[in-house]
Amino acid sequence: MHSSIVLLAKPAGITSFTSLFGVKRALSTKKVGHTGTLDSFADGLLVVLTGSMTRLVPHITALSKTYQAVISFGEETDTLEVTGQVVQTAPLPTKEAFLAAVEQWKGDILQEPPVFSALHVDGARASDLARRGHDITLEKRPVSIYESKVLDMELVTENGVDYVRHALLESVVSKGTYIRALARDIARSAGSCGHLIGLRRTGVGIFKLEHAAGYESLPPMTIAHALAQKDILEDDPHIKQVMDSLFTPAALQGIIDRAVSLDRETAVLCGLPPVTLKNSFHESYNNGIRITPGFFLEGRQILDQYRAAAPAEPPKYAVFLEDTDEFCGLVSVINNHFKYEFVNKD
């Protein structure tokens, strides 16, 4: 299956791009893309698209994300994560101040992205400029923190007061949210500073990490695991071990077993309402013949809805074959006519 959706559990220590090598080998394809980068120090779910399915990237990228993150308090690094250099220190926050700060940073917020990020400033990556010593400030952007809850805390008690040394936080956030920046802001609001020593993405919309190829190789996400891992992330033996794990027969077979096509339920959740292609028009659709409403069981109804709603943006629909529910591609409606977005012939 050259065009497919693959849920992949990225291990910590390598880039998201590198983690795709196993998918390319297992599925014998060069056209592979993922729907949201994970930092090298992080692990967790990558939703990988291959072949013509890569056309779905913007629809899946727009979905909410769920993360588990371990925050270490008392030191802030330039990258806001474990591989960076310490640039600021502060006392540990009290338990009460930390819990209050978590509640404060919920809902619709303006977030200042990390300077060590892939965002561009005057045509250059912010991270590249930061490494060259440029003093840059990125504009705050609106993001949404739908939910944040504390799963665990490592406390230090002094004179009867509980201070937080490390905390495990689970957050559900919108597209474009940086968990590193969220940890920074929570720590500062609690009267301290902090950085991430562990990060795991556990969900992208309806896609869940536990269904991903390689999930069974990930250790439980705990404060103890993050502390043990932080000192080996950049060691050459560790990185080689991680790379070797991508190409074991079991890893490659796991990818093959989890390569699937788009189904109607997933299409709806990606903002792509299904439309049913009649069997008699399957060949015409595959050959790019001009689409008429009669191609689809719901063709007339969709055009009636388009005329009544007069949407500003052309609506897009996921096409499924009448008898097998095979995913056939995407169409849009522009000026009251159906137009091809892409045809999935696999």
Side-chain angles (χ1 to χ4, degrees):
M1 182 185 291
H2 294 295
S3 296
S4 58
I5 302 173
V6 180
L7 302 188
L8 183 69
K10 171 195 167 309
I14 60 174
T15 66
S16 296
F17 176 79
T18 300
S19 69
L20 301 182
F21 291 169
V23 176
K24 293 178 181 180
R25 179 178 295 184
L27 301 182
S28 301
T29 181
K30 294 181 179 179
K31 192 173 183 181
V32 176
H34 60 77
T35 58
T37 300
L38 279 171
D39 293 324
S40 295
F41 84 98
D43 64 26
L45 179 62
L46 287 177
V47 180
V48 181
L49 303 175
T50 71
S52 61
M53 287 289 195
T54 55
R55 301 286 293 273
L56 297 175
V57 165
H59 301 283
I60 296 179
T61 301
L63 299 174
S64 64
K65 315 291 191 301
T66 304
Y67 295 91
Q68 292 180 353
V70 177
I71 309 172
S72 179
F73 293 98
E75 294 180 338
E76 184 175 306
T77 66
D78 51 4
T79 61
L80 302 181
E81 42 89 347
V82 64
T83 66
Q85 301 298 313
V86 176
V87 294
Q88 182 180 348
T89 61
L92 299 180
T94 65
K95 177 181 176 181
E96 291 75 14
F98 165 62
L99 294 176
V102 171
E103 294 300 315
Q104 177 183 341
W105 289 94
K106 285 184 179 180
D108 299 329
I109 65 171
L110 287 175
Q111 184 181 74
E112 180 184 328
V115 294
F116 282 84
S117 67
L119 298 178
H120 281 72
V121 178
D122 297 329
R125 280 196 176 195
S127 56
D128 293 338
L129 294 174
R131 290 188 182 95
R132 294 179 201 145
H134 291 261
D135 186 13
I136 60 175
T137 301
L138 298 175
E139 290 187 8
K140 293 183 178 181
R141 307 187 305 172
V143 298
S144 297
I145 314 299
Y146 303 120
E147 180 182 351
S148 276
K149 58 184 178 182
V150 179
L151 301 181
D152 194 14
M153 289 182 286
E154 181 186 285
L155 302 176
V156 176
T157 303
E158 295 182 4
N159 299 321
V161 178
D162 289 332
Y163 297 90
V164 185
R165 184 70 186 91
H166 301 101
L168 175 60
L169 189 70
E170 183 174 76
S171 300
V172 183
V173 302
S174 67
K175 172 189 175 182
T177 303
Y178 285 90
I179 302 300
R180 289 180 284 144
L182 178 62
R184 172 201 64 202
D185 295 336
I186 288 174
R188 290 179 180 179
S189 293
S192 182
C193 63
H195 65 281
L196 294 186
I197 60 172
L199 180 64
R200 174 170 293 175
R201 183 156 61 206
T202 60
V204 176
I206 65 164
F207 302 109
K208 303 303 179 185
L209 176 59
E210 55 263 33
H211 301 143
Y215 166 71
E216 62 281 354
S217 298
L218 296 180
M221 186 57 170
T222 62
I223 293 173
H225 162 64
L227 288 169
Q229 174 183 263
K230 70 184 184 70
D231 293 326
I232 64 170
L233 277 175
E234 297 182 300
D235 289 349
D236 289 340
H238 172 73
I239 295 173
K240 183 181 185 304
Q241 182 181 9
V242 171
M243 288 294 298
D244 290 344
S245 72
L246 300 179
F247 303 107
T248 65
L252 297 176
Q253 187 60 49
I255 291 169
I256 294 170
D257 292 342
R258 288 165 176 80
V260 299
S261 187
L262 188 71
D263 60 30
R264 287 177 179 261
E265 178 186 6
T266 305
V268 169
L269 294 170
C270 290
L272 298 167
V275 60
T276 307
L277 177 66
K278 296 177 182 177
N279 296 329
S280 56
F281 286 96
H282 191 197
E283 184 176 354
S284 296
Y285 178 87
N286 279 347
N287 291 330
I289 303 300
R290 181 178 177 272
I291 303 175
T292 66
F295 274 42
F296 307 115
L297 294 180
E298 313 90 343
R300 295 290 180 186
Q301 178 185 354
I302 287 174
L303 293 187
D304 288 344
Q305 292 172 346
Y306 177 85
R307 285 190 292 267
E313 296 292 329
K316 296 180 181 180
Y317 299 86
V319 179
F320 294 90
L321 190 59
E322 182 179 11
D323 60 350
T324 64
D325 251 4
E326 170 192 345
F327 174 62
C328 300
L330 296 184
V331 296
S332 59
V333 178
I334 303 175
N335 296 328
N336 209 40
H337 294 285
F338 286 101
K339 302 290 184 182
Y340 288 98
E341 290 291 322
F342 81 89
V343 176
N344 180 37
K345 295 185 178 181
D346 283 355

